[in-house]
Amino acid sequence: AQSVTQLDSQVPVFEEAPVELRCNYSSSVSVYLFWYVQYPNQGLQLLLKYLSGSTLVKGINGFEAEFNKSQTSFHLRKPSVHISDTAEYFCAIHIRNTGRRALTFGSGTRLQVQP
Amino acid sequence: IAGITQAPTSQILAAGRRMTLRCTQDMRHNAMYWYRQDLGLGLRLIHYSNTAGTTGKGEVPDGYSVSRANTDDFPLTLASAVPSQTSVYFCASSDSQGREQFFGPGTRLTVL
């Protein structure tokens, strides 16, 4: 069975500092990879996705992620965070070439940006 | 309507009552999903539908049922609510390839 592990439940960081949110997954078959962001009392918004091709993926709001197949990781990074980046971030996978189209989510990482 | 709408936004419900959460999408997506979000657990799949007329069970289907009479609507029903069903419920949809899921704003349900 597939699974997604987000290693940090909370990440406090100062404004303008860099940040990395870690995500590892387990799957015996190929996957698509996603990062979603959830602002307080809102739904989930797609930050970026890896489907194929270049392993470095750029998303909205200055975020990027790198797919590392050998380490089964898809860590999210931003070189300089802003107060408005305070939110919950979810890593998710989609198992390719099966009947299952639903996503498997990690437990989330709460990013708290402090002034 | 743009994207996915859910109703109600929030609800407080007495245990044992029946409740239907509504979800409508206007993107003509074939696949739709219901997830529940609980603190520390992320989102877990309750039920899904790959196309109108078909449904399937996810990871946590007990106590919930769904129907998919047409492409746009995917209601979730709690036949007899229990306190452990207190959660935030998200509806989502995707195309047949599943390359991106779009989420509704959620329904916050409290069962007392």
Side-chain angles (χ1 to χ4, degrees), chain A residues 27-93:
Chain A
S27 174
S28 58
V29 298
S30 297
V31 298
Y32 296 139
L33 296 145
F34 304 86
W35 275 98
Y36 283 86
V37 60
Q38 183 181 33
Y39 299 104
N41 299 313
Q42 294 189 25
L44 276 72
Q45 178 183 1
L46 182 69
L47 266 181
L48 48 78
K49 60 185 176 183
Y50 173 79
L51 303 182
S52 65
S54 173
T55 57
L56 182 62
V57 180
K58 294 189 182 297
I60 63 172
N61 300 340
F63 284 93
E64 65 180 32
E66 186 153 20
F67 170 50
N68 187 318
K69 188 175 182 179
S70 63
Q71 296 186 7
T72 60
S73 68
F74 191 53
H75 300 333
L76 181 71
R77 302 185 184 97
K78 186 170 183 178
S80 176
V81 295
H82 191 268
I83 294 287
S84 60
D85 293 322
T86 294
E88 187 95 18
Y89 292 80
F90 292 95
C91 181
I93 62 174

Side-chain angles (χ1 to χ4, degrees), chain A residues 34 36 38 90 101 103, chain B residues 33 35 37 50 96 99 101:
Chain A
F34 304 86
Y36 283 86
Q38 183 181 33
F90 292 95
R101 298 190 183 94
L103 298 175
Chain B
Y33 317 86
Y35 296 90
Q37 182 181 20
N50 285 341
S96 299
R99 295 184 180 185
Q101 284 192 18

